[in-house]
C-alpha cells in the first residue's frame, strides 16, 4: 500500500530531523532539549588529575601523594561524574580539592601539585607551588 | 528518490516489531523501574506519572491495546526527558540514553508493533475465527521500523563526528575516561597505558564511521551488524552505559530484514524455511 503525500511528507521530515537534527547542535551550535546531540561520554574524565602532590618542608621533599590519596579515596566513584565535586574545572578548584589535606599538614610544610588535568582537548598542564597559601 | 520511498514503504513481517515492543518494555523497566515506583511518589502528580508508566509499559509488554500503550509510554518518557529532566533539573533524565528511549517509544507508537506476539493478535485471531474470515496478515509497511534504523545510524554518525578531534584521536580523552573509571581498580594499568587508549579510541571511531551507513545497506550488514554488537558488548563491559547498549542492540530488530527475521523465528518454531 502506497503512502499518501501527507504521510510521506511526515515521515521524510522525521527522517531528516533524525539524521540532520544532531548537526544543528554539534556543528551549528544550537542548544535545545529537542535537538539531541550524540556526544556520548564527552565530559567523562574532564577535570580528573594526572599528576602528583608534593609535600615539602624547608624546600626539601618529604612526601609524594597521588590525587586519590589527597582526596582520601581508593578510587573514583565511577558513576555520575557530574555529581563528583572534586574535579578541577575552574580556577580555585585545585585549592578547594586540596583543602582537607592542607589542614593535615605539619608545621612548615608546603603542598604543591605537578601534573596535568583532563580537558576536552586532552591533558592540560597544571601546576601550583603552594596550594595552602603559605607554609603551615 | 523512488528507491528511498520504496525502502521506507516496503511491506514486511510485523513479528520483529512485536519482539522489539516486548523487549523494549523490559528495557524500560530495567532503566526506570526503581525510579518510578509508587513508593517514591511524593505527591499525587508523581503517583499518576508512576501509574501511567507502569500501565503503558505493562500493556506494551503483553501487547494489549498496543497503540494506546505505545502512545502513553512515549508521552511518559517524553515528560521524563523534557519536563522532569530539562525542565525540572533532574540531570539523570537528560542523558542521551534517555532520549533514545523517548525516540524509540515515539517511533514504536507509529508502528504496527501490536500486530504480532501480542494479546491484540490473539484477539484478532479469535475475532476472525468467529466471523469466519482470515485474520489480518502479520505484514505492514515498515516505515516506523526504518525510522528506528535511521535513529540508531544517526547515533553512530554523530557520535563519530564528535570524536573527530585531536583530543580523541590522540587517545587522551579515552585515557581520561579510563582514569575516571579505572584508577585504583584492577585493569587500570592495562587500559590506561599508552598506546592502548589511542588504539582503542581510533578503533571505536573507525567502527562508528563504518557502522553508521553500513547497517542501512543489505550488502554491508553482514559485517556492520556483528561489528556493532561487538562494539556495544565492549561498551557494556568496559564502562557504565546503563541500558544504552541493550536499547541499541534491541533496535537491530528494525535494521535486519524483517522477513529474514520472520524466517528465523519460523525455524526456531520448527517450521520449514
Amino acid at each position: 500500500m502506497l503512502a499518501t503525500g501527507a504521510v510521506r511528507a511526515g515521515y521524510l521530515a522525521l527522517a531528516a530531523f533524525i539524521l540532520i537534527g544532531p548537526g544543528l547542535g554539534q556543528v551549528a551550535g544550537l542548544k535545545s532539549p529537542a535537538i539531541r546531540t550524540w556526544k556520548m561520554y564527552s565530559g567523562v574524565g574532564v577535570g580528573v588529575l594526572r599528576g602528583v602532590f608534593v609535600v615539602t618542608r624547608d624546600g626539601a621533599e618529604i612526601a609524594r601523594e597521588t590525587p586519590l590519596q589527597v582526596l582520601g579515596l581508593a578510587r573514583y566513584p565511577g558513576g555520575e561524574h557530574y555529581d563528583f565535586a572534586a574535579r578541577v574545572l575552574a580556577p580555585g578548584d585545585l585549592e578547594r580539592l586540596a583543602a582537607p589535606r592542607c589542614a593535615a599538614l605539619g608545621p612548615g610544610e608546603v603542598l604543591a601539585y605537578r601534573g596535568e588535568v583532563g580537558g576536552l582537548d586532552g591533558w592540560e598542564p597544571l601546576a601550583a607551588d603552594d596550594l595552602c597559601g603559605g607554609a603551615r | 528518490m523512488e528507491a528511498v520511498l520504496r525502502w521506507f514503504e516496503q511491506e514486511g513481517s510485523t513479528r520483529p516489531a512485536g519482539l522489539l515492543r516486548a523487549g523494549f518494555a523490559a528495557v524500560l523497566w530495567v532503566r526506570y523501574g526503581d525510579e518510578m515506583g509508587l513508593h517514591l511518589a511524593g505527591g499525587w502528580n508523581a503517583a499518576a506519572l508512576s501509574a501511567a508508566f507502569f500501565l503503558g509499559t505493562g500493556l506494551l509488554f503483553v501487547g494489549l491495546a498496543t497503540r494506546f500503550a505505545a502512545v502513553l509510554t512515549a508521552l511518559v518518557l517524553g515528560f521524563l526527558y523534557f519536563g522532569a529532566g530539562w525542565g525540572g533539573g533532574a540531570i539523570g533524565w537528560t542523558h542521551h540514553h534517555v532520549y533514545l528511549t523517548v525516540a524509540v517509544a515515539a517511533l514504536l507508537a507509529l508502528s504496527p508493533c501490536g500486530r504480532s506476539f501480542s494479546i491484540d493478535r490473539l484477539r484478532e485471531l479469535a475475532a476472525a475465527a468467529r466471523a469466519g474470515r482470515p485474520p489480518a496478515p502479520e505484514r505492514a509497511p515498515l516505515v516506523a521500523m526504518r525510522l528506528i534504523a535511521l535513529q540508531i545510524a544517526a547515533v553512530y554518525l554523530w557520535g563519530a563526528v564528535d570524536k573527530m578531534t585531536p583530543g580523541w584521536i590522540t587517545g587522551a580523552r579515552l585515557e581520561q575516561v579510563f582514569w575516571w573509571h579505572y584508577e585504583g581498580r584492577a585493569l587500570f594499568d592495562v587500559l590506561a597505558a599508552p598506546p592502548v587508549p589511542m588504539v582503542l579510541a581510533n578503533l571505536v571511531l573507525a567502527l562508528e564511521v563504518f557502522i553508521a551507513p553500513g547497517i542501512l545497506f543489505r550488502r554491508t550488514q553482514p559485517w556492520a551488524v556483528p561489528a556493532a554488537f561487538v562494539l556495544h558488548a565492549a561498551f557494556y563491559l568496559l564502562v557504565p552505559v546503563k541500558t544504552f547498549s541493550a536499547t541499541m542492540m534491541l533496535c537491530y530488530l528494525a535494521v535486519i530484514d524483517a522477513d529474514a527475521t520472520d524466517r528465523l523465528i519460523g525455524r526456531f518454531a520448527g517450521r520449514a524455511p
Side-chain angles (χ1 to χ4, degrees), chain A residues 68 73-78 84, chain B residues 180-185:
Chain A
L68 282 177
L73 297 172
R75 56 190 70 94
Y76 291 110
F84 187 64
Chain B
W180 170 254
H181 285 300
Y182 283 92
E183 191 183 6
R185 292 182 164 90

Side-chain angles (χ1 to χ4, degrees), chain B residues 60-71:
Chain B
L60 196 65
F61 183 72
V62 299
L64 177 61
T66 309
R67 185 78 69 188
F68 164 76
V71 170

Side-chain angles (χ1 to χ4, degrees), chain A residues 8 11 19 36 41-42 50, chain B residues 9 94 158 173 175 240:
Chain A
R8 272 186 180 166
Y11 77 68
L19 283 178
R36 182 70 237 183
Y41 264 76
S42 63
R50 182 172 74 171
Chain B
E9 295 173 14
T94 64
W158 292 104
R173 285 290 300 116
E175 191 179 349

Side-chain angles (χ1 to χ4, degrees), chain A residues 8 11 18-19 22-23 26 33 36 38-42 44 50 75-76 78 80 82 84 119-120 122-123, chain B residues 5 8-9 81 86 94-96 99 151 154 158-159 162 167 173 175-176 179-181 183 185 239-240 242:
Chain A
R8 272 186 180 166
Y11 77 68
I18 288 167
L19 283 178
Q26 290 181 225
R36 182 70 237 183
W38 296 105
K39 304 197 292 186
M40 288 76 75
Y41 264 76
S42 63
V44 178
R50 182 172 74 171
R75 56 190 70 94
Y76 291 110
E80 296 286 10
Y82 310 104
F84 187 64
L120 287 172
W123 293 106
Chain B
L5 295 176
F8 272 112
E9 295 173 14
Y81 178 78
W86 287 105
T94 64
H95 283 187
H96 55 270
Y99 180 88
Q151 176 62 80
W158 292 104
D162 183 55
R173 285 290 300 116
E175 191 179 349
Q176 291 163 18
W179 274 70
W180 170 254
H181 285 300
E183 191 183 6
R185 292 182 164 90
V239 287
K242 297 193 172 156

Side-chain angles (χ1 to χ4, degrees), chain B residues 38-61:
Chain B
L38 283 167
H39 60 284
L40 294 174
W44 284 108
N45 288 344
L49 185 69
S50 174
F53 172 79
F54 285 106
L55 175 65
T57 53
L59 292 175
L60 196 65
F61 183 72

Side-chain angles (χ1 to χ4, degrees), chain B residues 58-105:
Chain B
L59 292 175
L60 196 65
F61 183 72
V62 299
L64 177 61
T66 309
R67 185 78 69 188
F68 164 76
V71 170
L72 180 61
T73 300
L75 288 174
V76 170
L77 295 179
F79 177 78
L80 292 184
Y81 178 78
F82 290 105
W86 287 105
I91 196 166
W93 284 346
T94 64
H95 283 187
H96 55 270
H97 70 272
V98 174
Y99 180 88
L100 186 64
T101 63
V102 176
V104 173

